[in-house]
Amino acid sequence: MSDNPSFEVDSPDHFTAGAVGPPGQRVFYLQSRDGNRLITLKVEKEHVRALAEYLGGLLARVKGAPGAARGGTELIEPLDTAWDVGSLAVGYDESQDRVVVEASELIEPAEAEEGAPAPEPDPAMARFRITRAQAAAFVERANELMKGGRPTCPVCSRPMDPEGHICPRANGHVKH
C-alpha cells in the first residue's frame, strides 16, 4: 500500500481544476473540499482536458438538466498537494444521481534488487461523488484553463512557446 492517504468524498461542496504558473510552465491541480477537508491533487494538463471531454459527453447522455453549481471554481489556498495523479476513471451512479470521479496515485517504478523484481505498492485512491451541476461547472472551468495555455502550431498542432517552436512537420527548417 502507498504511504499516501486515500480519500472518499461523498458530497463535496467544491470540486474544480486549476493551474498555477505561466503558460508552458503551469502546474495543474484537481481540488475538492468537503466541509473543512481540502484535498488537492497534482494532475497533468491532459488529465484535466480528458476529464472535461468525458464529463461533457456523459452529461449529454444523462437525461435532465444538471442544475446550477454553487460557489466558485477557483482553487482554494493553500495548495498542499496530497499526491500526483497517474490515472482517472469516471462513472455515473444513477441511483444517487452522482458522477463518480476516481483518481489513482502515480506510482514510479521502484529500483529492483539484483535480479529480483521490485514489489509495486498499491496506489492511493481518491473517489469524488459530485453532482451533475459540479461536473458541468468543471467542464466550463477546464475549457477556460485550456484557452489560457500556449497557442498551438497551425501546422503540427503542438504547443508553441512565446518565441515559437521548431515544427517537426517542417523537418526543423521552419521556426513558427
Side-chain angles (χ1 to χ4, degrees):
M1 189 70 173
S2 169
D3 291 335
N4 289 320
S6 288
F7 306 100
E8 186 83 27
V9 185
D10 288 329
S11 187
D13 52 57
H14 184 75
F15 184 79
T16 195
V20 175
Q25 299 173 7
R26 295 187 296 174
V27 177
F28 285 81
Y29 299 97
L30 184 68
Q31 190 177 68
S32 173
R33 182 184 63 204
D34 182 18
N36 292 331
R37 182 171 69 157
L38 183 64
I39 300 164
T40 305
L41 305 175
K42 184 179 171 193
V43 294
E44 295 294 328
K45 178 181 180 179
E46 288 307 310
H47 286 130
V48 175
R49 180 191 319 272
L51 181 56
E53 286 176 10
Y54 190 85
L55 289 175
L58 176 70
L59 292 171
R61 291 188 307 269
V62 176
K63 292 183 175 138
R70 295 172 301 180
T73 57
E74 298 297 319
L75 289 173
I76 299 170
E77 298 284 339
L79 295 177
D80 295 329
T81 306
W83 37 265
D84 293 2
V85 171
S87 65
L88 292 170
V90 179
Y92 178 65
D93 181 349
E94 192 172 352
S95 66
Q96 300 290 316
D97 191 26
R98 292 282 177 158
V99 177
V100 181
V101 177
E102 190 172 278
S104 299
E105 177 187 19
L106 175 65
I107 299 289
E108 298 291 335
E111 292 289 322
E113 305 253 343
E114 282 185 42
E120 292 290 328
D122 291 332
M125 303 291 289
R127 185 175 296 124
F128 308 99
R129 297 177 189 284
I130 62 175
T131 64
R132 288 187 289 136
Q134 287 172 314
F138 182 92
V139 170
E140 283 184 35
R141 172 75 172 148
N143 289 337
E144 289 172 17
L145 288 171
M146 296 307 118
K147 289 177 188 171
R150 295 178 287 176
T152 57
C153 173
V155 178
C156 71
S157 300
R158 291 189 177 174
M160 296 189 309
D161 291 321
E163 59 276 352
H165 86 125
I166 297 173
C167 182
R169 286 217 173 147
N171 291 327
H173 297 292
V174 178
K175 187 172 183 177
H176 290 278

